[in-house]
Amino acid sequence: MDDLEEGETEDLQKLGRYIYISSWTKKYEESLTLWNYAENNGKTDGIRIGMKKNIFKTETINRNVMLHGQYTEIRDLEFNIGILNKMLTSNVSFVPPHATLNEVIYTNDERLLKPFVHQKHSNGFALLTGQLGIYKRHEWREQQEIRYMLRSLPLTVKEMNIDFLNTPEGEKRLLEKIKMREDIRFVDLLLKDDVFEDMEVLCGPRMSEKKKEELYELLLKYAPNAVVATSRLRIRS
């Protein structure tokens, strides 16, 4: 992510590294700031893509599986395609097991930007991770960012067994694993079959004619119905 502060917590280091994000903007008008993110060796030859919401394929799973060595009953639960297989082959759990679309909230409240997430209570403890990935400093507000978020924890279903976790030994072992386990570097999600049907593409203000020709060839193959336009901005090269 562009904001190096993101994902930091006061008590469990960078816990946000277990959240996978696809960043977009709700800002319809062009922005020089956002175009500058697309610079390549000083040339803004990137493109801006507009798509419908909820672009990732999902499937409803309704069966019993052996998950992390534990018999698990899954009933009418929506998964992004491939996520269950990722859980079957890795020490990770996705909760929920599909990406959600969220609007970034801009603030300078340090308690929200770098929260405490480990909370003890009379019956054990809780990890309050629901607000991670939601807040950025006010200085980033021009981005008007919305993002797909896929939340995970580096724990197996068996390790998250509530009877074991609510013991001093279980809590200690869980916190150690969260701090020490490697995150999965990225997660690929399949796009819906119709995602390109009404796509809009805006060519960057410094995009060369050669690059535009390459773009048209790709669109002809993968998104022949895409609406293509060129930036109205004129920037000195």
Side-chain angles (χ1 to χ4, degrees):
M1 303 305 296
D2 50 14
D3 182 1
L4 297 181
E5 284 186 294
E6 279 208 71
E8 293 286 352
T9 69
E10 284 285 1
D11 47 0
L12 288 181
Q13 303 170 354
K14 203 172 183 69
L15 189 60
R17 69 186 184 277
Y18 300 118
I19 301 174
Y20 302 91
I21 290 174
S22 174
S23 292
W24 298 72
T25 180
K26 65 178 183 179
K27 189 172 186 176
Y28 190 79
E29 299 81 9
E30 287 189 76
S31 164
L32 283 173
T33 299
L34 295 182
W35 277 126
N36 286 335
Y37 289 137
E39 279 198 1
N40 180 21
N41 295 324
K43 296 182 178 180
T44 310
D45 55 5
I47 62 173
R48 172 180 166 133
I49 297 174
M51 285 184 173
K52 63 182 70 176
K53 293 180 180 179
N54 300 315
I55 59 176
F56 300 113
K57 279 186 176 181
T58 60
E59 59 183 345
T60 299
I61 293 180
N62 187 25
R63 67 175 188 266
N64 302 326
V65 297
M66 184 61 68
L67 189 57
H68 303 146
Q70 180 169 306
Y71 183 77
T72 304
E73 183 179 296
I74 301 176
R75 291 291 175 262
D76 298 322
L77 193 57
E78 185 181 20
F79 282 72
N80 282 124
I81 292 177
I83 290 302
L84 179 57
N85 186 61
K86 185 75 71 176
M87 291 176 65
L88 289 170
T89 57
S90 307
N91 292 321
V92 63
S93 297
F94 292 90
V95 183
H98 58 267
T100 60
L101 185 59
N102 301 268
E103 186 170 324
V104 170
I105 299 172
Y106 298 97
T107 180
N108 283 329
D109 187 335
E110 296 293 337
R111 295 169 299 177
L112 298 175
L113 294 168
K114 193 175 181 181
F116 285 94
V117 295
H118 178 214
Q119 185 179 86
K120 298 181 76 68
H121 52 76
S122 58
N123 295 322
F125 73 100
L127 294 178
L128 308 179
T129 61
Q131 296 303 306
L132 292 178
I134 297 295
Y135 297 100
K136 295 177 74 169
R137 288 197 182 277
H138 202 249
E139 286 77 6
W140 295 96
R141 65 190 180 279
E142 186 180 348
Q143 293 180 339
Q144 294 186 32
E145 185 179 350
I146 55 177
R147 50 175 52 169
Y148 293 97
M149 299 174 61
L150 184 63
R151 297 179 177 276
S152 76
L153 282 175
L155 303 168
T156 66
V157 170
K158 190 173 183 178
E159 289 168 338
M160 290 196 295
N161 181 285
I162 197 68
D163 293 329
F164 174 66
L165 288 183
N166 286 334
T167 66
E169 178 62 21
E171 178 179 357
K172 179 181 178 182
R173 285 175 57 183
L174 178 138
L175 295 178
E176 288 175 351
K177 287 175 179 178
I178 288 177
K179 291 178 180 179
M180 301 302 296
R181 266 189 183 156
E182 290 291 327
D183 55 288
I184 302 171
R185 290 188 58 246
F186 60 89
V187 176
D188 288 327
L189 298 181
L190 294 178
L191 295 173
K192 291 180 178 178
D193 294 335
D194 63 349
V195 74
F196 296 133
E197 286 185 1
D198 56 358
M199 184 170 70
E200 298 178 0
V201 179
L202 184 65
C203 299
R206 293 194 185 116
M207 194 173 191
S208 68
E209 292 303 316
K210 181 180 179 181
K211 289 290 186 180
K212 288 180 183 179
E213 290 176 7
E214 293 175 359
L215 171 65
Y216 295 145
E217 289 180 7
L218 285 173
L219 292 176
L220 186 61
K221 182 177 181 180
Y222 296 106
N225 297 323
V227 177
V228 185
T230 298
S231 170
R232 295 179 300 174
L233 300 175
R234 295 294 178 264
I235 304 173
R236 189 183 301 279
S237 298

